[in-house]
Amino acid sequence: MENFETLLEHYADITVTIGLNVQKDQDVMIFAPIESPEFVRKIVRKAYEVGARHVFVDWTDEELTRLRLDLASEKSLSQFPEWRARSFQELSNQNAAFLYIYSPNPELLAGIDPLRVATAQKAAAAANKQFSNDKSSAKVSWTIVSVPTAAWSAKVFPGMEESERIDALWQQIFKITRADKEDPEAAWKQHIQSLTDKLNYFNEKRFKTLHYAGPGTNLTIELPAEHLWIGGGMSNDQGIPFQPNMPTEEVFTMPLKTGVNGTVSSTKPLNYGGNLINNFSVTFKNGRIVDYKAEQGLETLKQIIETDEGSHYLGEVSLVPHHSPISETNLIFYNTLYDENASCHLAIGHGFPFNYRGGRKMSEEALAAAGMNQSLTHVDFMVGSGELDIDGETADGERTPIFRNGNWAI
């Protein structure tokens, strides 16, 4: 690819400066697939150049993950190494920044019992609960980005020659993350301001309910009285801004746990832990999931919903226009980071304390009383399309079109 090294350098720069916003003498922890050494080295170099104290890398190999899930004992799957959980928590306590390089293989776990996958994921979630809470409350800075791999690119571009797929996926990533701009950092700041304008509108309007209508979807979502819309990044407990998702096109808030009623249908496949869930619908009554269907991956969907009591409820409501950079590629990325930023989405499971006024300083009990859902899991699924309409309704009954035909109406 022409100018590949320059574009990769841009991508590493904005990951460190816009995504993580690494500070002087801050530790950085990178979780990376073994297929990404060149990008990781650039990240490490850039992090040290801006003043990082230590940069640690935790390499992963999806084939080893499959071997464990296929061959390890049930007892092993139900346990997560305590030393790993302690190390992550210690870094969090020291205000480290955490980078996740996510490159999914949507077919990785085909043929493995979803219950075994769910057992391992639940054990990891339980062992890392406080660490996860530190991230979900924005106590620490964290960012998710993606790089191409052979398996992922083959899923996105099945009709291409193998030698062309990874280049094609890199081209999409560079464009979507604005790494192809002459000044990517300036482009990101402009984009963040645009998202900030949207969330300011919603926080001033104070909608009480959102009404969704589309093919297979008739859903009403009530919002807590003190809900907050977030978008375009956030700030950690030290007041340092960071960007959790690169790319991002969303503004989002929390639903009232018991205030969701009706049925919503998915509009894109969900890749969950190496298993695909496709063409599914979920029905809610007083917030709780009371029915669900799927043409593909029903057992995996069941394991998500049955993780714990909180996984029977929603934790996030996110708005993304159909006319957005990712959606307009007309590609399905089989990667939640990308697909969720092409589409309005909802999340089964845990809510975010920063989506409630004063929530970052509230106890779990106080947040639960305020209507925030709590769970070991948080799984986004896409519900937006060019046929989705959304209305917002205020407490006094004023109804305002928010989306028409999948795009902003405000």
Side-chain angles (χ1 to χ4, degrees):
M1 185 194 308
E2 188 176 353
N3 297 327
F4 176 77
E5 283 300 317
T6 298
L7 294 171
L8 193 65
E9 196 75 36
H10 284 177
Y11 191 30
D13 284 349
I14 56 175
T15 298
V16 172
T17 60
I18 297 292
L20 293 178
N21 193 8
V22 175
Q23 302 295 295
K24 183 175 173 55
D25 293 327
Q26 186 178 29
D27 289 342
V28 177
M29 181 74 198
I30 303 171
F31 300 90
I34 59 173
E35 297 95 335
S36 60
E38 186 177 3
F39 181 60
V40 170
R41 291 180 190 123
K42 289 186 181 296
I43 293 288
V44 172
R45 175 183 290 277
K46 183 64 179 179
Y48 281 127
E49 286 175 348
V50 300
R53 182 176 62 173
H54 300 298
V55 183
F56 307 103
V57 181
D58 187 329
W59 297 101
T60 57
D61 179 357
E62 287 191 325
E63 292 302 322
L64 296 183
T65 300
R66 181 181 174 100
L67 284 171
R68 177 172 184 255
L69 291 169
D70 195 23
L71 301 175
S73 68
E74 292 286 343
K75 182 177 180 180
S76 168
L77 295 179
S78 67
Q79 298 171 336
F80 186 86
E82 293 182 6
W83 64 268
R84 283 179 62 82
R86 285 197 304 269
S87 67
F88 302 155
Q89 189 59 53
E90 182 177 341
L91 283 167
S92 180
N93 293 343
Q94 295 173 5
N95 190 38
F98 298 87
L99 174 63
Y100 296 83
I101 301 175
Y102 178 53
S103 303
N105 176 354
E107 309 294 340
L108 176 69
L109 302 184
I112 292 183
D113 183 354
L115 182 58
R116 288 176 62 82
V117 179
T119 297
Q121 290 171 335
K122 188 171 183 178
N128 292 286
K129 182 179 180 181
Q130 183 56 53
F131 176 45
S132 296
N133 287 344
D134 289 351
K135 292 181 292 181
S136 68
S137 64
K139 177 183 175 182
V140 296
S141 302
W142 53 276
T143 299
I144 304 176
V145 298
S146 286
V147 299
T149 59
W152 180 28
S153 62
K155 190 68 178 178
V156 180
F157 299 108
M160 280 190 181
E161 294 292 331
E162 184 174 355
S163 59
E164 299 174 347
R165 292 169 182 161
I166 288 182
D167 273 1
L169 191 48
W170 267 125
Q171 288 174 354
Q172 292 295 338
I173 288 173
F174 290 147
K175 181 178 180 180
I176 290 167
T177 62
R178 299 171 172 81
D180 66 342
K181 302 295 185 183
E182 185 174 343
D183 187 343
E185 189 168 338
W188 264 95
K189 289 178 179 178
Q190 182 179 2
H191 177 55
I192 288 169
Q193 184 58 55
S194 176
L195 292 174
T196 300
D197 292 342
K198 288 291 191 302
L199 68 90
N200 286 342
Y201 169 85
F202 285 109
N203 284 330
E204 291 171 7
K205 197 70 175 177
R206 309 304 305 162
F207 288 118
K208 180 178 175 60
T209 54
L210 303 177
H211 303 274
Y212 288 61
T217 292
N218 184 2
L219 188 73
T220 299
I221 299 176
E222 185 177 354
L223 307 177
E226 297 298 321
H227 71 275
L228 285 176
W229 290 86
I230 298 292
M234 55 193 69
S235 296
N236 65 20
D237 270 5
Q238 284 68 45
I240 305 300
F242 67 98
Q243 183 59 250
N245 291 350
M246 299 185 77
T248 184
E249 302 291 338
E250 64 179 337
V251 294
F252 62 97
T253 190
M254 68 167 65
L256 181 68
K257 178 178 178 179
T258 57
V260 183
N261 287 279
T263 298
V264 64
S265 293
S266 68
T267 53
K268 292 179 183 289
L270 170 60
N271 172 32
Y272 182 73
N275 284 303
L276 279 180
I277 312 170
N278 203 4
N279 294 329
F280 61 96
S281 64
V282 185
T283 299
F284 299 85
K285 184 176 181 181
N286 298 326
R288 200 173 200 275
I289 295 173
V290 294
D291 192 22
Y292 50 92
K293 302 172 183 177
E295 291 184 10
Q296 178 183 0
L298 179 62
E299 187 61 30
T300 300
L301 179 60
K302 177 183 178 182
Q303 294 305 326
I304 293 172
I305 293 170
E306 298 294 336
T307 299
D308 55 23
E309 177 60 21
S311 56
H312 291 78
Y313 297 83
L314 292 182
E316 180 189 339
V317 180
S318 182
L319 302 179
V320 180
H322 185 61
H323 290 322
S324 63
I326 303 173
S327 179
E328 291 178 349
T329 66
N330 293 315
L331 293 170
I332 295 175
F333 285 91
Y334 301 94
N335 177 336
T336 301
L337 173 63
Y338 278 69
D339 289 333
E340 75 169 6
N341 282 295
S343 168
C344 288
H345 54 275
L346 304 171
I348 292 171
H350 198 69
F352 298 124
F354 49 71
N355 280 135
Y356 192 84
R357 196 180 307 275
R360 291 169 60 163
K361 302 299 182 183
M362 293 168 64
S363 66
E364 289 187 2
E365 292 75 16
L367 286 165
M372 190 191 91
N373 187 39
Q374 297 175 10
S375 173
L376 290 174
T377 195
H378 178 98
V379 180
D380 296 291
F381 65 99
M382 284 54 78
V383 302
S385 72
E387 300 175 274
L388 179 67
D389 293 340
I390 304 175
D391 289 350
E393 186 174 346
T394 59
D396 60 8
E398 177 190 0
R399 193 152 169 159
T400 302
I402 297 174
F403 271 63
R404 286 294 180 267
N405 298 319
N407 293 299
W408 292 114
I410 57 175

